Amino acid sequence: MAKPRRNIQFQHRGSNAHDGRRPSVSEVSEGPSEPGSPVKAGMNGKIELMETPELTEYEKKKQTFITRTIWTFIMIAFFFVAMFSGHIYIIGIITTIQIISFKEVIAIANVPSRAKGLKFTRSLNWYFLGTAMYYLYGESVIYYFKHIVLVDKVLLPFATHHRFISFMLYTIGFVFFVGSLQKGHYRFQFTQFAWTHMALYLIVVQAHFVMNNIFEGMIWFFLPASLVITNDIFAYICGIAFGRTQLIKLSPKKTVEGFVGAWIFTVIFGIGMTNVLMRYSYFICPVDDLGANIFTGLTCTPNPVFLPQAYSLPAWTNISRTFHIAPMQFHILVFATFASLIAPFGGFFASGLKRTFKVKDFGESIPGHGGITDRMDCQFIMGFFAFMYYQSFIAVYKASVGGVMEMAIQGLSGEDQVEVVRGLAKYLVNQGVVAEGVLECLNGELGPRRR
């Protein structure tokens, strides 16, 4: 009997497969190809890759410019809708910007691989953010809405002990941080602790003063913000048109000519915009109703800075002419100068920070623009300046209902407070503001006067 032959291979038809088999559809589809690369079948059944032409540098810049422009108009439209809808919506935007900017700044210094192995690293960052926002928001609410907070039975204890509560919350976070320290990670953990506090100061604290500007009047928020935006736009235009001399090495594209040209145009814009905004009470009046909007408006006695005053030229000019100009037109020169010459250094600071960590942008929150922090780097310091300048040179300090109530509640006993109510009621009756029956009813409810 013939022995069976082993290791004998038969030649199969088809020469396009290394194992002698015709490739199946599934095998063809699983062939080596880059994701997203288009493929086509050749005449001989082979799969050929179609190379996608790479965009030229000009096309990339054009695409980025279009995306950036579209999102710029979207942000501008959204901002104006929010501003005209009411102060509460702008406050919501500022709060959102605070949180996202804090997240972006913390992220560039974080090392995920090391942070994952440490307890409370991320949680403590957000805990300190929450504590800082509780303290700062509470300070603003208590200061601007004393007449509401101090008469509420539930809110009164939180208002009177707000700072102590905030301090204890911070202390709890501090204790947890110390308790979470691990050997071998001290440098990383203390770096994160310091970085978190720097972010709180540069972002959350400065944004807090921006929010206070809103409470003082929409003009103190909108005008500084628009000056920074205008300066940024004209610095770009002037730099392209006749920029020659480099301004600072941190931003190689910034030029001295663009810097100075933007200053001139920002001053012109500021004078014109101020002249428009001063005519509307919605912009110049402090907030006393968070539900107000552009249609309901606000009512107040205008700050004297918005009222035209007479100015005469010095005697040595031999020109006897009087001009009527609102003092705000002089103040806006200072605002525009700061927005043009000082605020850009907030952007330079951010550029240096990004170069330190070798990142192009703080994030990708806004297509074509990068992160929120990339757009707000100059706004924070400008808002901080606007608040300090307003409080130092423009604000009119006078007794308010909330201030008087705070003094009476915290400085007088219950019996003294009753006497204040009696005396105030009697005064209002004598002035004809309320009827005499109100005083009689009040005396009956309050009981006999103390001796």
Side-chain angles (χ1 to χ4, degrees):
M1 179 179 294
K3 294 182 179 181
R5 290 174 294 180
R6 298 179 181 179
N7 300 326
I8 296 178
Q9 296 181 352
F10 295 93
Q11 183 68 28
H12 292 270
R13 293 180 181 178
S15 58
N16 56 350
H18 68 278
D19 59 353
R21 294 182 295 109
R22 185 187 300 274
S24 64
V25 175
S26 60
E27 289 174 333
V28 169
S29 63
E30 293 174 0
S33 63
E34 296 181 2
S37 300
V39 296
K40 67 176 181 178
M43 296 298 293
N44 57 358
K46 292 185 177 181
I47 303 301
E48 299 178 1
L49 296 177
M50 295 174 60
E51 294 184 0
T52 303
E54 293 185 2
L55 295 176
T56 63
E57 192 66 23
Y58 171 77
E59 291 174 333
K60 289 180 181 179
K61 289 183 177 181
K62 180 180 178 182
Q63 190 175 25
T64 302
F65 177 79
I66 294 174
T67 304
R68 188 185 183 100
T69 302
I70 292 174
W71 276 94
T72 297
F73 282 108
I74 291 175
M75 288 189 295
I76 292 175
F78 180 74
F79 172 77
F80 275 100
V81 170
M83 183 174 65
F84 293 148
S85 298
H87 300 75
I88 190 66
Y89 296 98
I90 294 295
I91 292 173
I93 291 176
I94 298 299
T95 303
T96 304
I97 289 174
Q98 276 183 314
I99 296 173
I100 297 177
S101 296
F102 179 82
K103 176 179 177 294
E104 291 176 347
V105 172
I106 289 296
I108 67 172
N110 193 23
V111 184
S113 60
R114 298 189 66 182
K116 288 180 180 178
L118 297 173
K119 294 181 179 180
F120 308 120
T121 300
R122 288 179 177 271
S123 300
L124 280 174
N125 289 341
W126 290 104
Y127 178 83
F128 283 125
L129 172 64
T131 300
M133 293 182 68
Y134 172 80
Y135 170 71
L136 295 172
Y137 278 63
E139 288 289 307
S140 296
V141 170
I142 293 171
Y143 180 81
Y144 290 103
F145 300 98
K146 295 174 183 174
H147 57 289
I148 298 175
V149 175
L150 296 178
V151 298
D152 189 279
K153 186 177 181 180
V154 176
L155 297 179
L156 180 60
F158 291 96
T160 54
H161 304 102
H162 172 70
R163 293 179 179 176
F164 180 77
I165 294 173
S166 301
F167 173 75
M168 291 308 299
L169 289 173
Y170 178 82
T171 303
I172 292 172
F174 178 78
V175 171
F176 266 89
F177 167 74
V178 176
S180 66
L181 291 174
Q182 294 185 18
K183 187 176 181 179
H185 300 284
Y186 293 152
R187 181 184 295 274
F188 172 75
Q189 288 181 290
F190 276 104
T191 300
Q192 287 292 303
F193 184 80
W195 186 260
T196 299
H197 283 69
M198 186 201 74
L200 290 175
Y201 169 72
L202 293 178
I203 297 173
V204 181
V205 173
Q206 291 191 108
H208 161 71
F209 293 107
V210 175
M211 192 171 303
N212 286 350
N213 291 338
I214 299 173
F215 290 129
E216 295 291 353
M218 188 67 79
I219 190 173
W220 306 114
F221 163 75
F222 175 71
L223 200 55
S226 62
L227 288 174
V228 170
I229 295 172
T230 301
N231 181 262
D232 191 34
I233 293 173
F234 280 101
Y236 176 75
I237 295 175
C238 294
I240 290 179
F242 42 82
R244 296 292 183 272
T245 310
Q246 188 183 64
L247 177 66
I248 188 170
K249 291 183 179 179
L250 279 174
S251 296
K253 295 182 180 180
K254 302 291 184 182
T255 62
V256 175
E257 293 80 4
F259 198 64
V260 176
W263 178 21
I264 296 172
F265 283 104
T266 302
V267 170
I268 296 173
F269 170 83
I271 294 173
M273 182 57 67
T274 301
N275 189 46
V276 173
L277 297 179
M278 287 192 306
R279 303 178 183 182
Y280 300 95
S281 60
Y282 179 73
F283 285 95
I284 66 175
C285 287
V287 179
D288 56 3
D289 179 14
L290 288 176
N293 55 51
I294 190 66
F295 300 106
T296 61
L298 292 168
T299 57
C300 67
T301 301
N303 189 308
V305 78
F306 298 118
L307 303 177
Q309 298 181 15
Y311 294 93
S312 301
L313 295 175
W316 56 267
T317 61
N318 294 324
I319 301 177
S320 58
R321 186 173 180 179
T322 301
F323 300 90
H324 289 81
I325 303 175
M328 186 59 193
Q329 294 288 13
F330 298 111
H331 290 297
I332 195 60
L333 299 178
V334 181
F335 277 76
T337 299
F338 189 92
S340 302
L341 304 184
I342 307 298
F345 281 85
F348 301 151
F349 177 87
S351 297
L353 203 60
K354 288 185 286 187
R355 287 177 182 270
T356 301
F357 292 95
K358 299 179 181 179
V359 295
K360 182 181 179 182
D361 298 311
F362 281 100
E364 299 177 352
S365 307
I366 312 173
H369 289 266
I372 290 289
T373 312
D374 294 289
R375 298 275 64 83
M376 297 299 297
D377 46 15
C378 301
Q379 294 287 359
F380 289 132
I381 190 172
M382 184 66 202
F384 194 3
F385 166 79
F387 177 81
M388 293 301 177
Y389 187 90
Y390 171 82
Q391 294 293 333
S392 300
F393 302 105
I394 299 176
V396 177
Y397 296 98
K398 58 182 180 180
S400 63
V401 175
V404 173
M405 291 178 61
E406 181 182 23
M407 293 176 60
I409 292 173
Q410 297 182 354
L412 299 177
S413 64
E415 293 181 350
D416 291 334
Q417 292 171 8
V418 170
E419 289 302 313
V420 170
V421 173
R422 291 181 189 274
L424 186 59
K426 186 175 181 179
Y427 170 79
L428 294 175
V429 169
N430 293 335
Q431 295 297 318
V433 178
V434 298
E436 188 173 353
V438 175
L439 178 61
E440 295 176 355
C441 178
L442 188 62
N443 288 331
E445 292 294 331
L446 296 177
R449 183 186 299 271
R450 66 174 183 173
R451 299 295 180 183

